[in-house]
């Protein structure tokens, strides 16, 4: 029993972030006073990320005590490790505001440490409490499902599955409510960037969450990153103008998506080595031949790394439209821009450059074209 959205509750990682540089005049000072037990080493390490770079500091431990005096441009997330490697024990994240924070660490089990800090940390603990409650509910459901499965109780399994799916709504509503009730907290920015970054959450939900935050945090790093992600996602979502790109044809000519304005264009991601792509090609050829004289064309974006195999497949499958590639295989820059993780995949774009459909296969492509091209 799997759910791609709720599964994130058990794998939320607070370290998937970067930042934007803030002006020096906005720096504030903070101090961390700490004690640590079950730790024999002479240092403790403090980490965070800023301006896309990981930053680390260390403090000497003397008689089980340590202290950090640092500065930050805005409230930010930090974490401790007992080793210099910042990824060694990433299990005690916390937020720091201006002022003094007091920390009690357990060296051999940092996850059970504690901290007294400012408003941002209190907000973060409210958020974690909400997430932890949902995780406990999810784990109980999973255990109940496993038990029902062992007993062969199909009715119980179906009931648990239905309840499990409803947890999606509780999750989304929970994080939306958190942002709504904490509109001026940097933690809301963090929640939008991390939790609302889940591709299973509709873009409109993310946009609404961003619109609900207070003006005072619109310049903070998490809001900036979440806003950029929304902008990027818009460019590959139905109903929005497609993100422009440019790559080379086999004969070395640069072709841009904007070159096709005024036509319906199917941006088709494929590769010579992709059997499902090659099986789908006859359907694309048939649609192309039927509508090419009515303002429709295809732009093939190849995920190949071999030019010879790419050109051979074009000839064999009689793909008589424009083709481009950077011959980087799965590293194709247009593929990365459009978040292509599987092929065949396509995007149907109208005359004004707006995406009107995605992943049209077989008869669905022909039917959609017949609907929009009169």
């Amino acid at each position: 029993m799997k759910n791609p959205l709720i599964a994130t509750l058990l794998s939320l990682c607070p370290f998937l972030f970067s930042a934007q540089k803030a002006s020096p005049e906005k720096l504030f000072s903070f101090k961390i006073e700490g004690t640590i037990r079950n730790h024999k080493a002479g240092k403790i390490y403090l980490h965070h990320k800023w301006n896309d770079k990981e930053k680390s500091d260390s403090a000497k431990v003397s008689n089980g005590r340590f202290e950090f005096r640092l500065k930050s441009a805005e409230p930010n997330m930090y974490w401790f490790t007992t080793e210099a490697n910042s990824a060694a024990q990433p299990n005690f994240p916390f937020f720091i505001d201006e002022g003094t924070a007091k920390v009690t660490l357990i060296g051999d089990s940092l996850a059970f440490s504690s901290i007294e800090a400012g408003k941002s940390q209190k907000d973060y603990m409210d958020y974690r409490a909400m997430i932890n409650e949902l995780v406990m509910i999810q784990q109980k459901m999973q255990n109940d499902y496993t038990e029902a499965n062992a007993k062969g109780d199909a009715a119980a399994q179906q009931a648990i599955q239905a309840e499990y799916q409803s947890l999606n709504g509780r999750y989304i509503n929970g994080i939306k409510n958190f942002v709504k009730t904490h509109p001026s907290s940097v933690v809301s920015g963090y929640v939008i960037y991390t939790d609302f970054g889940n591709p299973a959450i509709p873009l409109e939900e993310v946009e609404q969450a961003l619109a609900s935050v207070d003006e005072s945090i619109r310049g903070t790093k998490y809001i900036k990153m979440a806003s950029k992600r929304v902008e990027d996602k818009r460019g590959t979502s139905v109903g929005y103008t497609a993100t422009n790109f440019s790559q080379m044809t086999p004969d070395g000519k640069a072709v841009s998506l904007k070159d096709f304005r005024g036509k319906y264009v199917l941006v088709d991601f494929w590769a010579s080595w992709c059997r499902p792509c090659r099986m789908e090609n006859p359907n694309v050829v048939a649609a192309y031949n039927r509508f090419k004289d009515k303002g429709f064309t295809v732009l093939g974006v190849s995920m190949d790394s071999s030019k010879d195999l790419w050109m051979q497949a074009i000839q064999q499958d009689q793909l008589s439209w424009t083709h481009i590639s950077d011959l980087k295989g799965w590293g194709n820059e247009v593929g990365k821009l459009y978040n292509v993780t599987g092929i065949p995949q396509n995007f149907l774009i109208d005359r004004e450059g707006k995406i009107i459909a995605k992943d049209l296969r077989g008869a669905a492509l022909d039917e959609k074209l017949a609907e929009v091209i009169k």
Side-chain angles (χ1 to χ4, degrees), residues 161-181:
Q161 283 181 324
E163 185 181 4
Y164 195 81
Q165 292 299 322
S166 72
L167 200 57
N168 272 346
R170 291 188 60 177
Y171 171 52
I172 294 176
N173 288 335
I175 56 181
K176 285 172 62 177
N177 185 63
F178 178 89
V179 173
K180 184 177 180 180
T181 56

Side-chain angles (χ1 to χ4, degrees), residues 54-70:
E54 191 169 284
K55 306 289 185 179
S56 298
D57 292 278
S58 65
K60 182 179 179 181
V61 177
S62 178
N63 297 320
R65 295 182 177 278
F66 61 89
E67 181 179 289
F68 287 91
R69 290 179 179 268
L70 300 167

Side-chain angles (χ1 to χ4, degrees), residues 34-54:
T35 62
I36 186 169
R37 65 176 189 269
N38 301 342
H39 179 58
K40 297 180 180 180
K43 289 185 177 182
I44 185 71
Y45 300 89
L46 180 68
H47 313 277
H48 71 287
K49 283 191 175 181
W50 195 256
N51 198 28
D52 287 330
K53 294 183 180 180
E54 191 169 284

Side-chain angles (χ1 to χ4, degrees), residues 269 330 339-345 359 361:
F269 291 90
W330 279 115
N339 194 33
V340 174
T341 57
I343 51 175
Q345 185 171 344
D359 298 324
R361 298 283 176 267

Side-chain angles (χ1 to χ4, degrees), residues 51 71 102 157 193 199 213 222 228 233 320:
N51 198 28
K71 293 184 178 182
K102 296 185 177 181
Q157 290 179 66
Y193 180 65
V213 300
Y222 292 116
K228 184 180 184 304
K233 191 172 182 180
S320 55

Side-chain angles (χ1 to χ4, degrees), residues 190-207:
Y190 165 80
V191 169
I192 295 172
Y193 180 65
T194 54
D195 291 15
F196 276 103
N198 190 308
I201 296 180
L203 181 61
E204 293 77 11
E205 297 277 13
V206 189
E207 292 175 322

